[in-house]
Amino acid sequence: MRYVNPLQTISRVVCKQISLLLVTIVGALLTACSSSGGNPVPTIGINVAPGVNFRGDVVALQFEDNAQLSVGVGYDGAYRWNLATPAIEQTFAPKQLFFGLASAAPLVATTDRKTITTWDSSTGKQVATWNAKPRHLDVQTTVFEVSALAITPDQQTLIAAYNKGSMLQAWNLATGEATTTFGAPADTGSIVAIALSPDGQLLASNDFSGVVQVWEVASGQQVQRFKESSLKYQPGKLAWSHDGKWLAASSGDKNGGSVLVWDTNSWSIVATHTSAEHQFVGLAFHPSANTLAIGTSSGLIELYDPASEQVTNTLNGHAERVTTLAWNADGSQLASGGKEPLVIIWDTASLSEKQRLLLPATTVQ
């Protein structure tokens, strides 16, 4: 009679049961992938954070004299469109992630996270480049990444935000020297977005912990700090009204979205806009009126009046999320972009699409 080791028998049975369990789990995962279009991972930039932009996203828009439009595309580069033609006049800043665009001027700042480079968009030529390492970090420290840029209205100063260390650093645009370092509180998360007030004196920032902060640019001192329960979603964008009296912040994830508007005199909330259907992303105030353009995850653009807390009109032309918005100087046109490889120019009087600018199939070289 052949001897059978009971331990080997038990081992074989256990292994078979484990194998069946693994097959069941893998099958369930494959079914989930199939039912969700083959991608069970949440779409980064919506379910994770609507303000975070990735490869191919339109991340920056800026009109210049109503005749040109500068477009920054993440992980690709920058384009300067002649809107009358319409044709691309210049391509520059290859493989850059984030962009800071000067108002009504050809000055553009870009970053690959570790360095900062400035460009003249009218010629597409590089002006200067420097290491983006914040001033107060030790010489040996290499852990830092730029997450956002903003140029002051006088074009003298560039503010860089960082998503490692939650800090802000001001740079002299003429010399590339670090000036003021903004001391972000230790309990805040990585900075997602920044926005300068129209006079350039205040800077707003938001981060992944849900905190919105306001800073004095000259001194780097914190003026206000908010963590509102209504901003319960992942952080989005920030925008100041044309007169600096209002500050808006968007947020959103798979459960919905909200936009808060503060009165910058009292720092009290004057408007709250929420939705269980849309994640709110891009924000831009009209240059002379109280209208706030809001980009959503569905591609819809809402024109919102904070005074009445009502959506007055909508613009429907995008099929995917709208993360970036910009008005021209007189408010007659609104540019919008996001996940799709295109920019739409809207006629705001007729609320109709005026132009559709298609991004090139090849990246900037």
Side-chain angles (χ1 to χ4, degrees):
M1 179 180 294
R2 184 170 62 89
Y3 172 72
V4 178
N5 188 335
L7 292 178
Q8 290 180 344
T9 302
I10 292 171
S11 177
R12 282 196 297 269
V13 171
V14 171
C15 288
K16 183 176 182 180
Q17 289 176 337
I18 291 174
S19 298
L20 289 172
L21 179 60
L22 288 173
V23 169
T24 302
I25 292 172
V26 171
L29 288 173
L30 290 173
T31 301
C33 288
S34 176
S35 63
S36 62
N39 181 20
V41 181
T43 303
I44 295 176
I46 300 179
N47 293 345
V48 176
V52 177
N53 301 282
F54 290 85
R55 191 176 305 277
D57 284 19
V58 175
V59 298
L61 293 167
Q62 180 67 56
F63 282 95
E64 185 183 337
D65 300 328
N66 293 345
Q68 284 82 27
L69 180 74
S70 292
V71 180
V73 180
Y75 293 87
D76 179 4
Y79 302 87
R80 189 176 194 251
W81 248 283
N82 183 320
L83 297 177
T85 316
I88 296 175
E89 291 183 332
Q90 300 292 344
T91 60
F92 56 97
K95 299 179 181 179
Q96 299 293 283
L97 279 68
F98 302 105
F99 302 79
L101 307 180
S103 177
L107 177 63
V108 175
T110 67
T111 182
D112 59 3
R113 290 192 186 276
K114 295 296 186 180
T115 61
I116 293 171
T117 304
T118 55
W119 309 80
D120 182 337
S121 66
S122 65
T123 62
K125 301 297 184 182
Q126 178 179 312
V127 178
T129 186
W130 63 86
N131 190 315
K133 184 177 179 177
R135 184 176 60 179
H136 77 281
L137 292 183
D138 295 334
V139 175
Q140 296 82 5
T141 302
T142 59
V143 181
F144 68 91
E145 293 184 351
V146 180
S147 59
L149 298 171
I151 297 174
T152 55
D154 62 8
Q155 301 171 38
Q156 300 299 308
T157 303
L158 173 73
I159 309 294
Y162 297 81
N163 65 2
K164 295 290 181 69
S166 187
M167 67 191 84
L168 295 152
Q169 176 69 62
W171 300 89
N172 184 311
L173 276 170
T175 64
E177 295 180 357
T179 54
T180 307
T181 301
F182 296 59
D187 59 345
T188 63
S190 298
I191 293 174
V192 176
I194 57 177
L196 281 159
S197 61
D199 59 10
Q201 295 183 16
L202 297 176
L203 178 86
S205 67
N206 65 3
D207 59 53
F208 277 117
S209 67
V211 174
V212 175
Q213 299 176 86
V214 181
W215 309 86
E216 185 180 77
V217 172
S219 66
Q221 295 299 308
Q222 186 185 88
V223 176
Q224 289 292 330
R225 181 178 186 273
F226 311 102
K227 188 168 184 177
E228 300 295 339
S229 59
S230 297
L231 287 173
K232 59 184 177 181
Y233 310 108
Q234 295 291 341
K237 297 296 182 70
L238 299 160
W240 296 80
S241 61
H242 67 281
D243 53 9
K245 293 181 178 179
W246 286 343
L247 171 65
S250 67
S251 69
D253 61 20
K254 62 183 179 180
N255 299 309
S258 66
V259 173
L260 294 184
V261 181
W262 287 272
D263 181 310
T264 59
N265 289 319
S266 64
W267 294 111
S268 59
I269 296 174
V270 295
T272 302
H273 182 42
T274 60
S275 172
E277 300 176 358
H278 300 299
Q279 297 118 48
F280 296 128
V281 194
L283 293 176
F285 272 102
H286 188 281
S288 60
N290 293 331
T291 301
L292 175 64
I294 304 173
T296 72
S297 56
S298 67
L300 187 71
I301 300 170
E302 297 182 347
L303 301 181
Y304 178 71
D305 178 15
S308 64
E309 297 188 75
Q310 298 294 319
V311 175
T312 57
N313 284 295
T314 59
L315 303 172
N316 194 354
H318 289 278
E320 298 191 60
R321 71 175 183 263
V322 177
T323 58
T324 310
L325 296 159
W327 299 84
N328 68 344
D330 61 10
S332 62
Q333 298 177 61
L334 175 69
S336 59
K339 186 62 179 175
E340 300 162 286
L342 58 85
V343 174
I344 297 178
I345 310 294
W346 302 90
D347 183 308
T348 57
S350 62
L351 300 176
S352 62
E353 184 177 319
K354 181 178 181 179
Q355 286 179 300
R356 181 169 290 227
L357 310 176
L358 301 180
L359 295 175
T362 56
T363 60
V364 174
Q365 301 299 318

